[in-house]
Amino acid sequence: MSINLLEADVVFDPSAGLRREVLAGTLEAARLPQSVSNVRLSLQDIHIKRHGELGRAEVQVVTIVTDGISQEPIQLFSEVYENVQKWTHLPLGAGGVTLYRTDAQQIPAYLDYRILLTELDEDIRAIGTLLDEVRRDAQFEAARQALLAAAAIAAPPAALITASSDLALNIVARLLKANKDDQLLLVRGSFDNAFDGLGTKYGPVTKGNRQAAVTYQAEAAEAPRLA
């Protein structure tokens, strides 16, 4: 069992409690209807409340979303924002940033995600290859291949999906530790189609701590009906 190099500030895993209630017969499952053809997970707002700099800071956002069944079963996103003042919202643009979208109308059984905000201490030009370095890592490629092999037979188990996200985050953590970056916020979470419709039942979700907060949302779209 691997040790996580970064400790989550917030854990949002509602399906664990819902699973117990469904199994106990006190709650009905909330699986997505078969008419749903697409699920999108988007980052809608990032609020930086405080950071370690006296004036402005550089903030890096890294996200990991693992579904285990897409052509790229571990999906990565990274962006650096310069000159970030305290108590400000990062410019994500209209509609926010898409972190994940289902592949080829395949609805996964389980979705695992990490949202990491770090304050950069090094020249941001040296950080641009972060995701390339993660993807080139031998352990990352082994985890990716394990998910693809499992998906060729059946939906990968939730434990394998979660372990793959943890591995990817540990690789990111090793790279950021080498650059002496400071963690502002780490959100760890998951959604389960059998119990919460892959998170689509919650609407916008806001999680944070004293330093930062993020708002994100899982949304479902139905396939167009034939005339």
Side-chain angles (χ1 to χ4, degrees):
M1 182 177 179
S2 62
I3 298 175
N4 293 330
L5 299 181
L6 295 179
E7 182 178 352
D9 298 290
V10 180
V11 177
F12 185 54
D13 183 21
S15 59
L18 294 174
R19 184 182 298 109
R20 289 191 293 269
E21 293 189 51
V22 170
L23 293 176
T26 58
L27 184 71
E28 292 187 5
R31 183 181 297 273
L32 288 171
Q34 293 185 349
S35 57
V36 170
S37 63
N38 186 278
V39 173
R40 172 180 180 254
L41 181 64
S42 63
L43 187 57
Q44 299 183 341
D45 183 60
I46 300 176
H47 183 197
I48 303 299
K49 303 175 186 179
R50 60 179 68 183
H51 51 66
E53 299 296 326
L54 294 177
R56 300 169 184 264
E58 282 72 47
V59 174
Q60 181 158 25
V61 180
V62 179
T63 68
I64 301 164
V65 183
T66 306
D67 70 354
I69 65 170
S70 297
Q71 291 183 351
E72 291 300 331
I74 310 173
Q75 300 190 20
L76 308 174
F77 168 83
S78 178
E79 188 66 61
V80 174
Y81 296 87
E82 302 179 61
N83 300 317
V84 177
Q85 294 180 306
K86 297 177 182 179
W87 211 258
T88 190
H89 295 264
L90 300 186
L92 301 183
V97 176
T98 297
L99 305 180
Y100 167 83
R101 192 185 298 272
T102 46
D103 188 25
Q105 296 189 355
Q106 295 185 85
I107 303 300
Y110 189 79
L111 204 60
D112 188 90
Y113 61 90
R114 309 285 184 270
I115 303 173
L116 173 66
L117 310 181
T118 58
E119 182 181 343
L120 298 179
D121 292 329
E122 296 289 327
D123 188 338
I124 62 172
R125 289 172 297 182
I127 311 297
T129 59
L130 172 66
L131 296 189
D132 290 335
E133 292 183 53
V134 174
R135 294 186 180 103
R136 287 196 298 264
D137 186 273
Q139 289 183 308
F140 178 87
E141 180 59 21
R144 176 179 176 273
Q145 291 298 330
L147 287 170
L148 292 173
I153 301 173
L160 178 60
I161 294 174
T162 298
S164 299
S165 292
D166 286 338
L167 173 66
L169 183 63
N170 278 347
I171 296 170
V172 170
R174 289 204 306 265
L175 295 170
L176 294 181
K177 184 177 181 180
N179 289 291
K180 299 181 181 179
D181 298 324
D182 299 320
Q183 178 178 323
L184 295 175
L185 175 66
L186 173 58
V187 177
R188 177 171 66 84
S190 64
F191 298 130
D192 194 318
N193 189 24
F195 304 105
D196 60 17
L198 289 178
T200 58
K201 63 179 288 183
Y202 301 118
V205 176
T206 299
K207 299 295 178 183
N209 57 13
R210 296 180 61 187
Q211 295 176 292
V214 295
T215 299
Y216 55 98
Q217 183 174 5
E219 300 171 277
E222 295 192 358
R225 296 183 179 180
L226 298 177

